Amino acid sequence: QLQLVESGGGLVRPGGSLRLSCVVSGFTFDVPAVGWFRQAPGKEREGVSCISNSGSFTNYADSVKGRFTISRDNARNTIYLQMNSLKPEDTAVYYCAAGTSCTVVPDTVDLYDAHYWGQGAQVTVSS
C-alpha cells in the first residue's frame, strides 16, 4: 500500500519561500503521478499542482502560477513543491496525493484515482 509523508511546512512572512517535500513509498509497479492540494479553514480543498509519473507533464492552479514549482526526484521517491513569493492567502494545510495521472482540464488541477494521501503539512503566511 502506498504511503505518503509530507514535510517542510511552517510559518513564513509574506514574500518568503518554503519547500514542501512528499516522500512516496510502498508502490510495487509504476511510479505514481502526484498532486499537491491545499485546504484553508472554512474553504473547500483545491488542487494546487500536479506532476506526471515521469515528470514530463506539470500543471498549476492559476493562483500559484509563476510562484510555485513542482518537481520530482524518482531516485529518491520524492516530490517537491517550491513555493516562492508567498501570500497570506496561501495559508492552508497542504496535502500530497498519489494517483494514476494528472487530469488535463482547463482551469482545474486534479488527479485520477487519488486514493492515497499524506497527513498534511501546515503552511502559514503571516507577518
Side-chain angles (χ1 to χ4, degrees):
Q1 181 168 336
L2 285 178
Q3 292 187 323
L4 296 90
V5 179
E6 301 103 335
S7 62
L11 172 64
V12 65
R13 294 189 176 186
S17 298
L18 281 175
R19 187 177 78 161
L20 300 180
S21 299
C22 173
V23 178
V24 184
S25 61
F27 55 91
T28 55
F29 295 103
D30 293 337
V31 175
V34 172
W36 284 98
F37 299 79
R38 67 185 181 186
Q39 187 164 22
K43 295 189 176 181
E44 292 187 358
R45 186 179 67 200
E46 66 169 330
V48 174
S49 184
C50 191
I51 188 166
S52 64
N53 54 1
S54 68
S56 61
F57 173 84
T58 60
N59 62 356
Y60 299 89
D62 286 345
S63 58
V64 307
K65 278 180 184 175
R67 301 188 297 122
F68 290 12
T69 303
I70 193 170
S71 62
R72 67 188 301 157
D73 181 346
N74 283 346
R76 298 176 183 269
N77 296 332
T78 304
I79 295 82
Y80 303 99
L81 186 69
Q82 177 67 43
M83 304 184 293
N84 298 330
S85 302
L86 283 161
K87 305 175 180 180
E89 51 263 44
D90 294 318
T91 295
V93 178
Y94 284 69
Y95 301 90
C96 61
T100 53
S101 62
C102 303
T103 62
V104 185
V105 177
D107 303 322
T108 301
V109 172
D110 210 340
L111 187 64
Y112 288 115
D113 304 313
H115 300 308
Y116 302 97
W117 293 77
Q119 81 286 357
Q122 176 69 47
V123 171
T124 303
V125 185
S126 175
S127 55

